[in-house]
Amino acid sequence: MKNQEYSKKSLIVDSHCHIDLYKNPHKTCEAIVRDNIKTIAVTNLPSHFEIGYPHILKYKNIRLALGFHPLHIQDLENEIKIFERSLDKTSYIGEIGLDFTKKGQESKELQINVFDFILNKMSSNPKFITIHSRRAERVVLEMLDKYKMYPCIFHWYTGPLSLIDEIIKSGHYFSINPSMVVSINGIKIINRIPKERILTETDGPFGKVNDEVILPRDVRIVIKYLSEIWGTPFEETERIIYSNFSELLKPIKKMRSL
């Protein structure tokens, strides 16, 4: 899978989508192929990656990411074994990170230990990494800096505006979804991020558009919004975001060529 090349025709990117959580994942994959959306299919556990891997291989423009969601840590010993044996199968990691909201309070120490393990395993191997950081943005950033893990993508960032500048200074990116462009706080966050550090995502199927479950093609809503606030044509906005996406893939492609 990691040696496949993306189609050259589409410049639309969904950098964070839970394809395996749709009611009909194969139907969703077929729609992605039909709409020609370059999609990173994140997973919540290494075992989910292992199950989905052989099914995703046949779909062009879809890459399966190896994930270990901070709120879904279970069967730890077995999941760690699966993570280790799966790491070389993909250049895409996510969703990983920390969650210090009410749901994650009791597992904070375990989350940190697992995140530290993951970062240590990847410290010498460039990957496309999408990060969960809810209420743990500062700790996530410090751990990424500790392992010199950059650039990474802060998915659906909801943290302090003041920390955005530090995250950018460390070389990281942010992925923006349709829910953010209709949120007061989301709009404030978007306005703080420079063009060259923005990617598009849906975080599907979490969210709806016109009362229907969100799909990767709905990243066009974000592109349209960004084109309006940036004062650039849709196609130019599309190109900027795709250029950012391509920039993130450069270290991976360089490592492959060595």
Side-chain angles (χ1 to χ4, degrees):
M1 176 169 61
K2 64 183 179 180
N3 290 323
Q4 294 173 350
E5 290 296 325
Y6 278 115
S7 166
K8 303 294 184 181
K9 296 179 181 179
S10 175
L11 299 182
I12 304 291
V13 178
D14 183 352
S15 63
H16 191 110
C17 183
H18 296 264
I19 291 177
D20 62 331
L21 298 184
Y22 281 89
K23 288 183 179 179
N24 190 329
H26 284 292
K27 185 176 180 181
T28 302
C29 288
E30 289 167 0
I32 289 169
V33 172
R34 184 175 61 250
D35 297 328
N36 207 13
I37 310 297
K38 292 162 178 52
T39 304
I40 308 304
V42 298
T43 52
N44 284 337
L45 284 170
S47 55
H48 297 175
F49 172 89
E50 192 169 60
I51 292 168
Y53 184 80
H55 299 285
I56 290 293
L57 283 173
K58 65 180 180 180
Y59 294 107
K60 72 171 187 177
N61 287 351
I62 303 176
R63 299 295 178 270
L64 191 63
L66 175 61
F68 215 140
H69 193 290
L71 294 181
H72 294 273
I73 297 173
Q74 60 191 39
D75 193 11
L76 186 58
E77 184 177 348
N78 184 52
E79 293 293 346
I80 283 178
K81 287 179 181 177
I82 298 173
F83 185 92
E84 290 180 311
R85 69 173 179 248
S86 299
L87 191 55
D88 289 336
K89 290 183 178 180
T90 182
S91 295
Y92 302 86
I93 303 295
E95 139 177 36
I96 61 170
L98 301 174
D99 190 306
F100 292 170
T101 60
K102 187 176 180 179
K103 288 183 179 180
Q105 283 299 313
E106 292 185 3
S107 63
K108 282 174 68 173
E109 185 176 347
L110 177 61
Q111 289 182 45
I112 290 172
N113 288 340
V114 170
F115 192 42
D116 189 82
F117 160 80
I118 291 170
L119 296 180
N120 183 52
K121 283 291 179 181
M122 297 190 301
S123 59
S124 61
N125 193 357
K127 301 283 187 182
F128 181 101
I129 304 169
T130 176
I131 300 283
H132 181 108
S133 62
R134 234 174 1 186
R135 300 285 177 88
E137 296 85 6
R138 169 65 67 182
V139 180
V140 166
L141 179 59
E142 289 173 353
M143 292 181 71
L144 293 176
D145 284 345
K146 172 186 173 182
Y147 285 101
K148 296 181 172 57
M149 297 296 297
Y150 37 74
C152 298
I153 305 163
F154 279 70
H155 134 75
W156 200 339
Y157 181 84
T158 58
L161 290 174
S162 58
L163 190 60
I164 291 175
D165 295 342
E166 291 184 50
I167 293 171
I168 291 168
K169 187 176 179 180
S170 288
H172 303 298
Y173 290 66
F174 297 82
S175 51
I176 309 302
N177 59 49
S179 296
M180 294 178 71
V181 306
V182 294
S183 156
I184 292 174
N185 188 55
I187 290 170
K188 288 180 181 178
I189 287 168
I190 294 168
N191 288 336
R192 187 90 175 211
I193 306 168
K195 295 177 186 178
E196 63 271 16
R197 295 300 178 86
I198 285 182
L199 293 179
T200 46
E201 66 159 64
T202 58
D203 199 24
F206 302 106
K208 290 190 175 183
V209 174
N210 298 324
D211 291 325
E212 294 186 0
V213 174
I214 195 166
L215 291 169
R217 64 175 178 242
D218 293 316
V219 294
R220 290 187 175 92
I221 295 169
V222 181
I223 297 173
K224 183 176 183 295
Y225 174 81
L226 293 174
S227 70
E228 291 171 354
I229 65 169
W230 292 350
T232 55
F234 185 94
E235 292 77 11
E236 175 63 13
T237 306
E238 186 182 71
R239 188 199 63 76
I240 291 169
I241 294 167
Y242 189 80
S243 176
N244 296 343
F245 177 69
S246 299
E247 195 66 27
L248 278 162
L249 295 179
K250 281 183 179 179
I252 299 169
K253 291 179 177 179
K254 182 178 180 181
M255 179 62 70
R256 288 177 187 164
S257 65
L258 294 177

